[in-house]
Amino acid sequence: MMLLGQLARGGVARVQGGGAALAAALAKSFMARGGTLRTDARVTRIARDGMRATGVELPGRGVIAADAVVCTADPWQTHEALLGGHDLDQSTATRMGSGGVAWPTAYVHLL
């Protein structure tokens, strides 16, 4: 239904060059601002201090400290596997438990 509403208002925007072009542009912008991008690196845990992400742990490499962590995993994987399943507020826990979390096509999680 949402797509039909967008079409009625003049169409749906598309990225020139497709999704790969969008990912490349985001990566370029991120690195131009001093970010470090690692691909094909298995993350076993998001390190944190209280409720603040402080880095990521890679197998055999320990924790790599970071000022910010961008996680592209879905909410379940992020919370349960990478954050250890702790400190979830009751409202979000209820929505996740009832299947009430929306699953968009693309995610950008700023932790």
Side-chain angles (χ1 to χ4, degrees):
M1 297 308 272
M2 187 175 177
L3 181 59
L4 293 176
Q6 287 292 96
L7 288 171
R9 288 190 294 274
V12 178
R14 292 189 308 159
V15 177
Q16 284 185 325
L22 174 61
L26 286 171
K28 182 178 178 182
S29 176
F30 177 71
M31 290 185 291
R33 287 165 176 75
T36 301
L37 182 64
R38 293 176 189 250
T39 59
D40 296 325
R42 183 174 177 272
V43 173
T44 56
R45 179 176 69 91
I46 295 174
R48 60 188 195 154
D49 181 11
M51 296 298 288
R52 184 181 173 282
T54 58
V56 294
E57 183 175 340
L58 304 179
R61 303 222 12 228
V63 174
I64 298 173
D67 294 328
V69 174
V70 177
C71 178
T72 60
D74 66 61
W76 284 102
Q77 184 71 13
T78 300
H79 181 259
E80 298 299 319
L82 299 176
L83 291 172
H86 304 290
D87 302 322
L88 192 62
D89 65 86
Q90 187 57 49
S91 172
T92 304
T94 300
R95 288 185 309 136
M96 286 178 74
S98 67
V101 176
W103 304 107
T105 303
Y107 298 96
V108 176
H109 300 286
L110 303 175
L111 303 174

